[in-house]
Amino acid sequence: ALPISVICGLSPWKNVVELWQEKTGQLQAKDISDNPAVRAGIYLEPVVAKWFSDDTKKRLETDERLKVHKTIPYIAAHIDRLIIGENAALECKSTRFDHGWGDGENIIPDYYLVQCALEAMAWDFERVYPAVLIGGNDFRHYVYERNDPLEKLLAKRCEAFWHSVVTNEPPIPRTGDEVISLFGNKTDDISVFATSEIQEIGRASCRARG
């Protein structure tokens, strides 16, 4: 599965050049399985799912399949829970801070919003419910409804990235971090290309929130 937030330049943890280097075998992916935040997410996933089910009365089941998009083979996704009786899924999150999460509003951080959109595309869901446990005691849940302009944009981004992998041609760096990942620290004579891709995704994300 392609980490869509990285491809879109929205991830605070990895950039698209690093992802390309991993996919082309030039860089070993870091083992983050022992990271405390990652472990917390694994341990708290059943808690978030139970809390969501109790609050919404929706019945859930586990489905561990990797589902591939019916026409785009490089778009695939896992889900946390399938919602019984509804063409929808639950995405479970946990975090220390509420940065980017709406308080009483259906506002989802962009890097999670695009993940929900990709899951909806791969599984052909009508909607995905992201639920988050903040600071161990603040539980919130939201809904992503299918958004065609956003999903077309994500499909375009995935296509461009996958073309880079297949052709072994690096993505054009859009940030200083991506320039350094591609060329190292010797960047005196290297220009960074400013594009409107991230802004375009942000605008589509805003429309997806409704």
Side-chain angles (χ1 to χ4, degrees), residues 48 51-52 55 91 93 97-105 107 130-134 138-142:
V48 174
W51 205 325
F52 176 83
D55 274 11
E91 180 64 29
K93 300 297 181 186
F97 307 107
D98 67 350
H99 180 70
W101 295 99
D103 188 1
E105 299 175 290
I107 298 176
V132 60
L133 181 61
I134 301 167
D138 183 1
F139 178 77
R140 307 176 192 178
H141 59 86
Y142 309 83

mmCIF file with all atom_site columns, all heavy atoms in Angstrom, residues 48 51-52 55 91 93 97-105 107 130-134 138-142:
data_model
loop_
_atom_site.group_PDB
_atom_site.id
_atom_site.type_symbol
_atom_site.label_atom_id
_atom_site.label_alt_id
_atom_site.label_comp_id
_atom_site.label_asym_id
_atom_site.label_entity_id
_atom_site.label_seq_id
_atom_site.pdbx_PDB_ins_code
_atom_site.Cartn_x
_atom_site.Cartn_y
_atom_site.Cartn_z
_atom_site.occupancy
_atom_site.B_iso_or_equiv
_atom_site.pdbx_formal_charge
_atom_site.auth_seq_id
_atom_site.auth_comp_id
_atom_site.auth_asym_id
_atom_site.auth_atom_id
_atom_site.pdbx_PDB_model_num
ATOM 1   N N   . VAL A 1 48  ? -10.211 2.262  21.004 1.00 0.00 ? 48  VAL A N   1
ATOM 2   C CA  . VAL A 1 48  ? -10.865 3.257  20.148 1.00 0.00 ? 48  VAL A CA  1
ATOM 3   C C   . VAL A 1 48  ? -12.055 2.627  19.428 1.00 0.00 ? 48  VAL A C   1
ATOM 4   O O   . VAL A 1 48  ? -13.138 3.229  19.337 1.00 0.00 ? 48  VAL A O   1
ATOM 5   C CB  . VAL A 1 48  ? -9.858  3.849  19.148 1.00 0.00 ? 48  VAL A CB  1
ATOM 6   C CG1 . VAL A 1 48  ? -10.561 4.779  18.152 1.00 0.00 ? 48  VAL A CG1 1
ATOM 7   C CG2 . VAL A 1 48  ? -8.756  4.606  19.878 1.00 0.00 ? 48  VAL A CG2 1
ATOM 8   N N   . TRP A 1 51  ? -14.913 2.124  21.932 1.00 0.00 ? 51  TRP A N   1
ATOM 9   C CA  . TRP A 1 51  ? -15.497 3.420  22.297 1.00 0.00 ? 51  TRP A CA  1
ATOM 10  C C   . TRP A 1 51  ? -16.404 3.926  21.174 1.00 0.00 ? 51  TRP A C   1
ATOM 11  O O   . TRP A 1 51  ? -17.513 4.408  21.414 1.00 0.00 ? 51  TRP A O   1
ATOM 12  C CB  . TRP A 1 51  ? -14.380 4.422  22.578 1.00 0.00 ? 51  TRP A CB  1
ATOM 13  C CG  . TRP A 1 51  ? -14.753 5.548  23.504 1.00 0.00 ? 51  TRP A CG  1
ATOM 14  C CD1 . TRP A 1 51  ? -15.968 6.179  23.594 1.00 0.00 ? 51  TRP A CD1 1
ATOM 15  C CD2 . TRP A 1 51  ? -13.908 6.180  24.473 1.00 0.00 ? 51  TRP A CD2 1
ATOM 16  N NE1 . TRP A 1 51  ? -15.942 7.173  24.542 1.00 0.00 ? 51  TRP A NE1 1
ATOM 17  C CE2 . TRP A 1 51  ? -14.672 7.188  25.096 1.00 0.00 ? 51  TRP A CE2 1
ATOM 18  C CE3 . TRP A 1 51  ? -12.588 6.004  24.859 1.00 0.00 ? 51  TRP A CE3 1
ATOM 19  C CZ2 . TRP A 1 51  ? -14.154 8.014  26.084 1.00 0.00 ? 51  TRP A CZ2 1
ATOM 20  C CZ3 . TRP A 1 51  ? -12.059 6.830  25.844 1.00 0.00 ? 51  TRP A CZ3 1
ATOM 21  C CH2 . TRP A 1 51  ? -12.839 7.817  26.453 1.00 0.00 ? 51  TRP A CH2 1
ATOM 22  N N   . PHE A 1 52  ? -15.930 3.800  19.933 1.00 0.00 ? 52  PHE A N   1
ATOM 23  C CA  . PHE A 1 52  ? -16.734 4.225  18.790 1.00 0.00 ? 52  PHE A CA  1
ATOM 24  C C   . PHE A 1 52  ? -18.021 3.414  18.695 1.00 0.00 ? 52  PHE A C   1
ATOM 25  O O   . PHE A 1 52  ? -19.106 3.961  18.487 1.00 0.00 ? 52  PHE A O   1
ATOM 26  C CB  . PHE A 1 52  ? -15.920 4.059  17.503 1.00 0.00 ? 52  PHE A CB  1
ATOM 27  C CG  . PHE A 1 52  ? -16.685 4.370  16.245 1.00 0.00 ? 52  PHE A CG  1
ATOM 28  C CD1 . PHE A 1 52  ? -16.823 5.687  15.800 1.00 0.00 ? 52  PHE A CD1 1
ATOM 29  C CD2 . PHE A 1 52  ? -17.267 3.363  15.489 1.00 0.00 ? 52  PHE A CD2 1
ATOM 30  C CE1 . PHE A 1 52  ? -17.522 5.975  14.628 1.00 0.00 ? 52  PHE A CE1 1
ATOM 31  C CE2 . PHE A 1 52  ? -17.969 3.642  14.324 1.00 0.00 ? 52  PHE A CE2 1
ATOM 32  C CZ  . PHE A 1 52  ? -18.096 4.958  13.904 1.00 0.00 ? 52  PHE A CZ  1
ATOM 33  N N   . ASP A 1 55  ? -20.454 4.459  21.434 1.00 0.00 ? 55  ASP A N   1
ATOM 34  C CA  . ASP A 1 55  ? -21.023 5.787  21.221 1.00 0.00 ? 55  ASP A CA  1
ATOM 35  C C   . ASP A 1 55  ? -22.020 5.815  20.066 1.00 0.00 ? 55  ASP A C   1
ATOM 36  O O   . ASP A 1 55  ? -23.027 6.536  20.122 1.00 0.00 ? 55  ASP A O   1
ATOM 37  C CB  . ASP A 1 55  ? -19.915 6.807  20.942 1.00 0.00 ? 55  ASP A CB  1
ATOM 38  C CG  . ASP A 1 55  ? -19.328 7.385  22.225 1.00 0.00 ? 55  ASP A CG  1
ATOM 39  O OD1 . ASP A 1 55  ? -19.637 6.852  23.313 1.00 0.00 ? 55  ASP A OD1 1
ATOM 40  O OD2 . ASP A 1 55  ? -18.564 8.360  22.129 1.00 0.00 ? 55  ASP A OD2 1
ATOM 41  N N   . GLU A 1 91  ? -11.500 3.977  11.002 1.00 0.00 ? 91  GLU A N   1
ATOM 42  C CA  . GLU A 1 91  ? -10.060 4.170  11.095 1.00 0.00 ? 91  GLU A CA  1
ATOM 43  C C   . GLU A 1 91  ? -9.751  4.668  12.502 1.00 0.00 ? 91  GLU A C   1
ATOM 44  O O   . GLU A 1 91  ? -10.245 5.710  12.931 1.00 0.00 ? 91  GLU A O   1
ATOM 45  C CB  . GLU A 1 91  ? -9.591  5.188  10.050 1.00 0.00 ? 91  GLU A CB  1
ATOM 46  C CG  . GLU A 1 91  ? -8.106  5.455  10.054 1.00 0.00 ? 91  GLU A CG  1
ATOM 47  C CD  . GLU A 1 91  ? -7.275  4.238  9.698  1.00 0.00 ? 91  GLU A CD  1
ATOM 48  O OE1 . GLU A 1 91  ? -7.762  3.377  8.938  1.00 0.00 ? 91  GLU A OE1 1
ATOM 49  O OE2 . GLU A 1 91  ? -6.129  4.144  10.199 1.00 0.00 ? 91  GLU A OE2 1
ATOM 50  N N   . LYS A 1 93  ? -7.373  6.034  15.566 1.00 0.00 ? 93  LYS A N   1
ATOM 51  C CA  . LYS A 1 93  ? -6.177  6.825  15.815 1.00 0.00 ? 93  LYS A CA  1
ATOM 52  C C   . LYS A 1 93  ? -6.058  7.126  17.304 1.00 0.00 ? 93  LYS A C   1
ATOM 53  O O   . LYS A 1 93  ? -7.059  7.150  18.025 1.00 0.00 ? 93  LYS A O   1
ATOM 54  C CB  . LYS A 1 93  ? -6.223  8.147  15.047 1.00 0.00 ? 93  LYS A CB  1
ATOM 55  C CG  . LYS A 1 93  ? -6.331  8.005  13.534 1.00 0.00 ? 93  LYS A CG  1
ATOM 56  C CD  . LYS A 1 93  ? -5.119  7.324  12.955 1.00 0.00 ? 93  LYS A CD  1
ATOM 57  C CE  . LYS A 1 93  ? -5.220  7.209  11.449 1.00 0.00 ? 93  LYS A CE  1
ATOM 58  N NZ  . LYS A 1 93  ? -4.085  6.414  10.880 1.00 0.00 ? 93  LYS A NZ  1
ATOM 59  N N   . PHE A 1 97  ? -1.988  15.048 21.376 1.00 0.00 ? 97  PHE A N   1
ATOM 60  C CA  . PHE A 1 97  ? -2.490  16.412 21.223 1.00 0.00 ? 97  PHE A CA  1
ATOM 61  C C   . PHE A 1 97  ? -3.608  16.454 20.185 1.00 0.00 ? 97  PHE A C   1
ATOM 62  O O   . PHE A 1 97  ? -3.695  15.570 19.319 1.00 0.00 ? 97  PHE A O   1
ATOM 63  C CB  . PHE A 1 97  ? -1.353  17.353 20.823 1.00 0.00 ? 97  PHE A CB  1
ATOM 64  C CG  . PHE A 1 97  ? -0.160  17.281 21.724 1.00 0.00 ? 97  PHE A CG  1
ATOM 65  C CD1 . PHE A 1 97  ? 1.013   16.666 21.311 1.00 0.00 ? 97  PHE A CD1 1
ATOM 66  C CD2 . PHE A 1 97  ? -0.218  17.821 23.001 1.00 0.00 ? 97  PHE A CD2 1
ATOM 67  C CE1 . PHE A 1 97  ? 2.119   16.588 22.150 1.00 0.00 ? 97  PHE A CE1 1
ATOM 68  C CE2 . PHE A 1 97  ? 0.876   17.755 23.853 1.00 0.00 ? 97  PHE A CE2 1
ATOM 69  C CZ  . PHE A 1 97  ? 2.050   17.135 23.435 1.00 0.00 ? 97  PHE A CZ  1
ATOM 70  N N   . ASP A 1 98  ? -4.427  17.498 20.248 1.00 0.00 ? 98  ASP A N   1
ATOM 71  C CA  . ASP A 1 98  ? -5.580  17.575 19.342 1.00 0.00 ? 98  ASP A CA  1
ATOM 72  C C   . ASP A 1 98  ? -5.305  18.403 18.103 1.00 0.00 ? 98  ASP A C   1
ATOM 73  O O   . ASP A 1 98  ? -6.233  18.827 17.411 1.00 0.00 ? 98  ASP A O   1
ATOM 74  C CB  . ASP A 1 98  ? -6.802  18.142 20.075 1.00 0.00 ? 98  ASP A CB  1
ATOM 75  C CG  . ASP A 1 98  ? -6.631  19.603 20.465 1.00 0.00 ? 98  ASP A CG  1
ATOM 76  O OD1 . ASP A 1 98  ? -5.514  20.131 20.340 1.00 0.00 ? 98  ASP A OD1 1
ATOM 77  O OD2 . ASP A 1 98  ? -7.629  20.206 20.915 1.00 0.00 ? 98  ASP A OD2 1
ATOM 78  N N   . HIS A 1 99  ? -4.030  18.625 17.783 1.00 0.00 ? 99  HIS A N   1
ATOM 79  C CA  . HIS A 1 99  ? -3.686  19.464 16.641 1.00 0.00 ? 99  HIS A CA  1
ATOM 80  C C   . HIS A 1 99  ? -4.332  18.939 15.358 1.00 0.00 ? 99  HIS A C   1
ATOM 81  O O   . HIS A 1 99  ? -4.123  17.793 14.959 1.00 0.00 ? 99  HIS A O   1
ATOM 82  C CB  . HIS A 1 99  ? -2.167  19.523 16.460 1.00 0.00 ? 99  HIS A CB  1
ATOM 83  C CG  . HIS A 1 99  ? -1.739  20.362 15.295 1.00 0.00 ? 99  HIS A CG  1
ATOM 84  N ND1 . HIS A 1 99  ? -1.865  21.733 15.283 1.00 0.00 ? 99  HIS A ND1 1
ATOM 85  C CD2 . HIS A 1 99  ? -1.205  20.022 14.085 1.00 0.00 ? 99  HIS A CD2 1
ATOM 86  C CE1 . HIS A 1 99  ? -1.422  22.204 14.126 1.00 0.00 ? 99  HIS A CE1 1
ATOM 87  N NE2 . HIS A 1 99  ? -1.017  21.189 13.392 1.00 0.00 ? 99  HIS A NE2 1
ATOM 88  N N   . GLY A 1 100 ? -5.131  19.786 14.716 1.00 0.00 ? 100 GLY A N   1
ATOM 89  C CA  . GLY A 1 100 ? -5.749  19.440 13.441 1.00 0.00 ? 100 GLY A CA  1
ATOM 90  C C   . GLY A 1 100 ? -7.092  18.761 13.546 1.00 0.00 ? 100 GLY A C   1
ATOM 91  O O   . GLY A 1 100 ? -7.808  18.657 12.546 1.00 0.00 ? 100 GLY A O   1
ATOM 92  N N   . TRP A 1 101 ? -7.463  18.298 14.736 1.00 0.00 ? 101 TRP A N   1
ATOM 93  C CA  . TRP A 1 101 ? -8.746  17.615 14.917 1.00 0.00 ? 101 TRP A CA  1
ATOM 94  C C   . TRP A 1 101 ? -9.806  18.632 15.355 1.00 0.00 ? 101 TRP A C   1
ATOM 95  O O   . TRP A 1 101 ? -9.593  19.394 16.292 1.00 0.00 ? 101 TRP A O   1
ATOM 96  C CB  . TRP A 1 101 ? -8.634  16.523 15.983 1.00 0.00 ? 101 TRP A CB  1
ATOM 97  C CG  . TRP A 1 101 ? -7.725  15.399 15.612 1.00 0.00 ? 101 TRP A CG  1
ATOM 98  C CD1 . TRP A 1 101 ? -6.428  15.227 16.012 1.00 0.00 ? 101 TRP A CD1 1
ATOM 99  C CD2 . TRP A 1 101 ? -8.036  14.289 14.768 1.00 0.00 ? 101 TRP A CD2 1
ATOM 100 N NE1 . TRP A 1 101 ? -5.912  14.065 15.476 1.00 0.00 ? 101 TRP A NE1 1
ATOM 101 C CE2 . TRP A 1 101 ? -6.877  13.466 14.707 1.00 0.00 ? 101 TRP A CE2 1
ATOM 102 C CE3 . TRP A 1 101 ? -9.184  13.890 14.065 1.00 0.00 ? 101 TRP A CE3 1
ATOM 103 C CZ2 . TRP A 1 101 ? -6.829  12.292 13.962 1.00 0.00 ? 101 TRP A CZ2 1
ATOM 104 C CZ3 . TRP A 1 101 ? -9.137  12.725 13.316 1.00 0.00 ? 101 TRP A CZ3 1
ATOM 105 C CH2 . TRP A 1 101 ? -7.978  11.936 13.278 1.00 0.00 ? 101 TRP A CH2 1
ATOM 106 N N   . GLY A 1 102 ? -10.960 18.625 14.694 1.00 0.00 ? 102 GLY A N   1
ATOM 107 C CA  . GLY A 1 102 ? -12.025 19.540 15.049 1.00 0.00 ? 102 GLY A CA  1
ATOM 108 C C   . GLY A 1 102 ? -12.630 19.208 16.401 1.00 0.00 ? 102 GLY A C   1
ATOM 109 O O   . GLY A 1 102 ? -12.753 18.042 16.774 1.00 0.00 ? 102 GLY A O   1
ATOM 110 N N   . ASP A 1 103 ? -13.006 20.235 17.129 1.00 0.00 ? 103 ASP A N   1
ATOM 111 C CA  . ASP A 1 103 ? -13.684 20.074 18.412 1.00 0.00 ? 103 ASP A CA  1
ATOM 112 C C   . ASP A 1 103 ? -15.141 20.477 18.208 1.00 0.00 ? 103 ASP A C   1
ATOM 113 O O   . ASP A 1 103 ? -15.480 21.648 18.246 1.00 0.00 ? 103 ASP A O   1
ATOM 114 C CB  . ASP A 1 103 ? -13.019 20.941 19.483 1.00 0.00 ? 103 ASP A CB  1
ATOM 115 C CG  . ASP A 1 103 ? -13.571 20.662 20.879 1.00 0.00 ? 103 ASP A CG  1
ATOM 116 O OD1 . ASP A 1 103 ? -14.450 19.790 21.010 1.00 0.00 ? 103 ASP A OD1 1
ATOM 117 O OD2 . ASP A 1 103 ? -13.120 21.323 21.834 1.00 0.00 ? 103 ASP A OD2 1
ATOM 118 N N   . GLY A 1 104 ? -15.994 19.489 17.953 1.00 0.00 ? 104 GLY A N   1
ATOM 119 C CA  . GLY A 1 104 ? -17.388 19.759 17.635 1.00 0.00 ? 104 GLY A CA  1
ATOM 120 C C   . GLY A 1 104 ? -17.628 20.021 16.165 1.00 0.00 ? 104 GLY A C   1
ATOM 121 O O   . GLY A 1 104 ? -18.762 20.249 15.745 1.00 0.00 ? 104 GLY A O   1
ATOM 122 N N   . GLU A 1 105 ? -16.565 20.005 15.352 1.00 0.00 ? 105 GLU A N   1
ATOM 123 C CA  . GLU A 1 105 ? -16.674 20.198 13.920 1.00 0.00 ? 105 GLU A CA  1
ATOM 124 C C   . GLU A 1 105 ? -16.048 19.001 13.203 1.00 0.00 ? 105 GLU A C   1
ATOM 125 O O   . GLU A 1 105 ? -15.140 18.363 13.734 1.00 0.00 ? 105 GLU A O   1
ATOM 126 C CB  . GLU A 1 105 ? -15.955 21.474 13.491 1.00 0.00 ? 105 GLU A CB  1
ATOM 127 C CG  . GLU A 1 105 ? -16.509 22.751 14.110 1.00 0.00 ? 105 GLU A CG  1
ATOM 128 C CD  . GLU A 1 105 ? -15.670 23.954 13.731 1.00 0.00 ? 105 GLU A CD  1
ATOM 129 O OE1 . GLU A 1 105 ? -14.527 24.040 14.227 1.00 0.00 ? 105 GLU A OE1 1
ATOM 130 O OE2 . GLU A 1 105 ? -16.160 24.779 12.944 1.00 0.00 ? 105 GLU A OE2 1
ATOM 131 N N   . ILE A 1 107 ? -13.695 18.221 11.284 1.00 0.00 ? 107 ILE A N   1
ATOM 132 C CA  . ILE A 1 107 ? -12.403 18.627 10.736 1.00 0.00 ? 107 ILE A CA  1
ATOM 133 C C   . ILE A 1 107 ? -11.380 17.545 11.075 1.00 0.00 ? 107 ILE A C   1
ATOM 134 O O   . ILE A 1 107 ? -11.145 17.230 12.236 1.00 0.00 ? 107 ILE A O   1
ATOM 135 C CB  . ILE A 1 107 ? -11.961 19.986 11.291 1.00 0.00 ? 107 ILE A CB  1
ATOM 136 C CG1 . ILE A 1 107 ? -12.971 21.074 10.893 1.00 0.00 ? 107 ILE A CG1 1
ATOM 137 C CG2 . ILE A 1 107 ? -10.568 20.345 10.789 1.00 0.00 ? 107 ILE A CG2 1
ATOM 138 C CD1 . ILE A 1 107 ? -12.671 22.431 11.486 1.00 0.00 ? 107 ILE A CD1 1
ATOM 139 N N   . PRO A 1 130 ? -13.074 8.242  10.767 1.00 0.00 ? 130 PRO A N   1
ATOM 140 C CA  . PRO A 1 130 ? -11.890 8.284  11.609 1.00 0.00 ? 130 PRO A CA  1
ATOM 141 C C   . PRO A 1 130 ? -12.285 8.616  13.052 1.00 0.00 ? 130 PRO A C   1
ATOM 142 O O   . PRO A 1 130 ? -13.067 9.546  13.294 1.00 0.00 ? 130 PRO A O   1
ATOM 143 C CB  . PRO A 1 130 ? -11.051 9.414  10.994 1.00 0.00 ? 130 PRO A CB  1
ATOM 144 C CG  . PRO A 1 130 ? -12.016 10.270 10.265 1.00 0.00 ? 130 PRO A CG  1
ATOM 145 C CD  . PRO A 1 130 ? -13.220 9.444  9.932  1.00 0.00 ? 130 PRO A CD  1
ATOM 146 N N   . ALA A 1 131 ? -11.769 7.838  13.986 1.00 0.00 ? 131 ALA A N   1
ATOM 147 C CA  . ALA A 1 131 ? -12.023 8.080  15.410 1.00 0.00 ? 131 ALA A CA  1
ATOM 148 C C   . ALA A 1 131 ? -10.679 8.213  16.108 1.00 0.00 ? 131 ALA A C   1
ATOM 149 O O   . ALA A 1 131 ? -9.724  7.499  15.788 1.00 0.00 ? 131 ALA A O   1
ATOM 150 C CB  . ALA A 1 131 ? -12.824 6.935  16.011 1.00 0.00 ? 131 ALA A CB  1
ATOM 151 N N   . VAL A 1 132 ? -10.600 9.137  17.066 1.00 0.00 ? 132 VAL A N   1
ATOM 152 C CA  . VAL A 1 132 ? -9.317  9.412  17.695 1.00 0.00 ? 132 VAL A CA  1
ATOM 153 C C   . VAL A 1 132 ? -9.481  9.538  19.202 1.00 0.00 ? 132 VAL A C   1
ATOM 154 O O   . VAL A 1 132 ? -10.451 10.118 19.693 1.00 0.00 ? 132 VAL A O   1
ATOM 155 C CB  . VAL A 1 132 ? -8.685  10.705 17.113 1.00 0.00 ? 132 VAL A CB  1
ATOM 156 C CG1 . VAL A 1 132 ? -9.578  11.915 17.323 1.00 0.00 ? 132 VAL A CG1 1
ATOM 157 C CG2 . VAL A 1 132 ? -7.291  10.958 17.685 1.00 0.00 ? 132 VAL A CG2 1
ATOM 158 N N   . LEU A 1 133 ? -8.514  8.973  19.913 1.00 0.00 ? 133 LEU A N   1
ATOM 159 C CA  . LEU A 1 133 ? -8.427  9.139  21.358 1.00 0.00 ? 133 LEU A CA  1
ATOM 160 C C   . LEU A 1 133 ? -7.265  10.091 21.629 1.00 0.00 ? 133 LEU A C   1
ATOM 161 O O   . LEU A 1 133 ? -6.108  9.785  21.325 1.00 0.00 ? 133 LEU A O   1
ATOM 162 C CB  . LEU A 1 133 ? -8.192  7.800  22.048 1.00 0.00 ? 133 LEU A CB  1
ATOM 163 C CG  . LEU A 1 133 ? -8.110  7.835  23.578 1.00 0.00 ? 133 LEU A CG  1
ATOM 164 C CD1 . LEU A 1 133 ? -9.418  8.351  24.180 1.00 0.00 ? 133 LEU A CD1 1
ATOM 165 C CD2 . LEU A 1 133 ? -7.790  6.443  24.130 1.00 0.00 ? 133 LEU A CD2 1
ATOM 166 N N   . ILE A 1 134 ? -7.578  11.246 22.188 1.00 0.00 ? 134 ILE A N   1
ATOM 167 C CA  . ILE A 1 134 ? -6.593  12.306 22.398 1.00 0.00 ? 134 ILE A CA  1
ATOM 168 C C   . ILE A 1 134 ? -6.233  12.382 23.880 1.00 0.00 ? 134 ILE A C   1
ATOM 169 O O   . ILE A 1 134 ? -7.102  12.529 24.737 1.00 0.00 ? 134 ILE A O   1
ATOM 170 C CB  . ILE A 1 134 ? -7.152  13.664 21.930 1.00 0.00 ? 134 ILE A CB  1
ATOM 171 C CG1 . ILE A 1 134 ? -7.532  13.605 20.446 1.00 0.00 ? 134 ILE A CG1 1
ATOM 172 C CG2 . ILE A 1 134 ? -6.146  14.778 22.175 1.00 0.00 ? 134 ILE A CG2 1
ATOM 173 C CD1 . ILE A 1 134 ? -8.366  14.780 19.970 1.00 0.00 ? 134 ILE A CD1 1
ATOM 174 N N   . ASP A 1 138 ? -9.889  11.973 25.799 1.00 0.00 ? 138 ASP A N   1
ATOM 175 C CA  . ASP A 1 138 ? -10.734 12.820 24.945 1.00 0.00 ? 138 ASP A CA  1
ATOM 176 C C   . ASP A 1 138 ? -11.017 12.056 23.659 1.00 0.00 ? 138 ASP A C   1
ATOM 177 O O   . ASP A 1 138 ? -10.160 11.974 22.771 1.00 0.00 ? 138 ASP A O   1
ATOM 178 C CB  . ASP A 1 138 ? -10.012 14.144 24.655 1.00 0.00 ? 138 ASP A CB  1
ATOM 179 C CG  . ASP A 1 138 ? -10.856 15.113 23.831 1.00 0.00 ? 138 ASP A CG  1
ATOM 180 O OD1 . ASP A 1 138 ? -12.005 14.774 23.489 1.00 0.00 ? 138 ASP A OD1 1
ATOM 181 O OD2 . ASP A 1 138 ? -10.351 16.213 23.527 1.00 0.00 ? 138 ASP A OD2 1
ATOM 182 N N   . PHE A 1 139 ? -12.216 11.485 23.553 1.00 0.00 ? 139 PHE A N   1
ATOM 183 C CA  . PHE A 1 139 ? -12.566 10.667 22.397 1.00 0.00 ? 139 PHE A CA  1
ATOM 184 C C   . PHE A 1 139 ? -13.428 11.467 21.431 1.00 0.00 ? 139 PHE A C   1
ATOM 185 O O   . PHE A 1 139 ? -14.407 12.103 21.828 1.00 0.00 ? 139 PHE A O   1
ATOM 186 C CB  . PHE A 1 139 ? -13.328 9.407  22.831 1.00 0.00 ? 139 PHE A CB  1
ATOM 187 C CG  . PHE A 1 139 ? -13.755 8.557  21.663 1.00 0.00 ? 139 PHE A CG  1
ATOM 188 C CD1 . PHE A 1 139 ? -12.845 7.756  21.002 1.00 0.00 ? 139 PHE A CD1 1
ATOM 189 C CD2 . PHE A 1 139 ? -15.074 8.572  21.211 1.00 0.00 ? 139 PHE A CD2 1
ATOM 190 C CE1 . PHE A 1 139 ? -13.226 6.984  19.914 1.00 0.00 ? 139 PHE A CE1 1
ATOM 191 C CE2 . PHE A 1 139 ? -15.470 7.799  20.129 1.00 0.00 ? 139 PHE A CE2 1
ATOM 192 C CZ  . PHE A 1 139 ? -14.531 7.013  19.480 1.00 0.00 ? 139 PHE A CZ  1
ATOM 193 N N   . ARG A 1 140 ? -13.061 11.431 20.144 1.00 0.00 ? 140 ARG A N   1
ATOM 194 C CA  . ARG A 1 140 ? -13.823 12.130 19.112 1.00 0.00 ? 140 ARG A CA  1
ATOM 195 C C   . ARG A 1 140 ? -13.926 11.238 17.872 1.00 0.00 ? 140 ARG A C   1
ATOM 196 O O   . ARG A 1 140 ? -13.022 10.440 17.606 1.00 0.00 ? 140 ARG A O   1
ATOM 197 C CB  . ARG A 1 140 ? -13.148 13.455 18.733 1.00 0.00 ? 140 ARG A CB  1
ATOM 198 C CG  . ARG A 1 140 ? -12.849 14.382 19.910 1.00 0.00 ? 140 ARG A CG  1
ATOM 199 C CD  . ARG A 1 140 ? -12.098 15.635 19.452 1.00 0.00 ? 140 ARG A CD  1
ATOM 200 N NE  . ARG A 1 140 ? -11.573 16.382 20.594 1.00 0.00 ? 140 ARG A NE  1
ATOM 201 C CZ  . ARG A 1 140 ? -10.853 17.493 20.477 1.00 0.00 ? 140 ARG A CZ  1
ATOM 202 N NH1 . ARG A 1 140 ? -10.584 17.984 19.268 1.00 0.00 ? 140 ARG A NH1 1
ATOM 203 N NH2 . ARG A 1 140 ? -10.403 18.107 21.562 1.00 0.00 ? 140 ARG A NH2 1
ATOM 204 N N   . HIS A 1 141 ? -15.019 11.405 17.134 1.00 0.00 ? 141 HIS A N   1
ATOM 205 C CA  . HIS A 1 141 ? -15.118 10.685 15.857 1.00 0.00 ? 141 HIS A CA  1
ATOM 206 C C   . HIS A 1 141 ? -15.698 11.595 14.795 1.00 0.00 ? 141 HIS A C   1
ATOM 207 O O   . HIS A 1 141 ? -16.435 12.540 15.081 1.00 0.00 ? 141 HIS A O   1
ATOM 208 C CB  . HIS A 1 141 ? -15.916 9.383  15.995 1.00 0.00 ? 141 HIS A CB  1
ATOM 209 C CG  . HIS A 1 141 ? -17.312 9.552  16.490 1.00 0.00 ? 141 HIS A CG  1
ATOM 210 N ND1 . HIS A 1 141 ? -18.380 9.823  15.654 1.00 0.00 ? 141 HIS A ND1 1
ATOM 211 C CD2 . HIS A 1 141 ? -17.833 9.487  17.743 1.00 0.00 ? 141 HIS A CD2 1
ATOM 212 C CE1 . HIS A 1 141 ? -19.494 9.904  16.364 1.00 0.00 ? 141 HIS A CE1 1
ATOM 213 N NE2 . HIS A 1 141 ? -19.190 9.719  17.643 1.00 0.00 ? 141 HIS A NE2 1
ATOM 214 N N   . TYR A 1 142 ? -15.354 11.291 13.563 1.00 0.00 ? 142 TYR A N   1
ATOM 215 C CA  . TYR A 1 142 ? -15.650 12.144 12.422 1.00 0.00 ? 142 TYR A CA  1
ATOM 216 C C   . TYR A 1 142 ? -16.111 11.254 11.261 1.00 0.00 ? 142 TYR A C   1
ATOM 217 O O   . TYR A 1 142 ? -16.177 10.029 11.387 1.00 0.00 ? 142 TYR A O   1
ATOM 218 C CB  . TYR A 1 142 ? -14.405 12.937 12.012 1.00 0.00 ? 142 TYR A CB  1
ATOM 219 C CG  . TYR A 1 142 ? -13.755 13.675 13.164 1.00 0.00 ? 142 TYR A CG  1
ATOM 220 C CD1 . TYR A 1 142 ? -12.874 13.031 14.031 1.00 0.00 ? 142 TYR A CD1 1
ATOM 221 C CD2 . TYR A 1 142 ? -14.035 15.019 13.406 1.00 0.00 ? 142 TYR A CD2 1
ATOM 222 C CE1 . TYR A 1 142 ? -12.288 13.697 15.093 1.00 0.00 ? 142 TYR A CE1 1
ATOM 223 C CE2 . TYR A 1 142 ? -13.446 15.697 14.470 1.00 0.00 ? 142 TYR A CE2 1
ATOM 224 C CZ  . TYR A 1 142 ? -12.569 15.030 15.302 1.00 0.00 ? 142 TYR A CZ  1
ATOM 225 O OH  . TYR A 1 142 ? -11.996 15.695 16.356 1.00 0.00 ? 142 TYR A OH  1
#
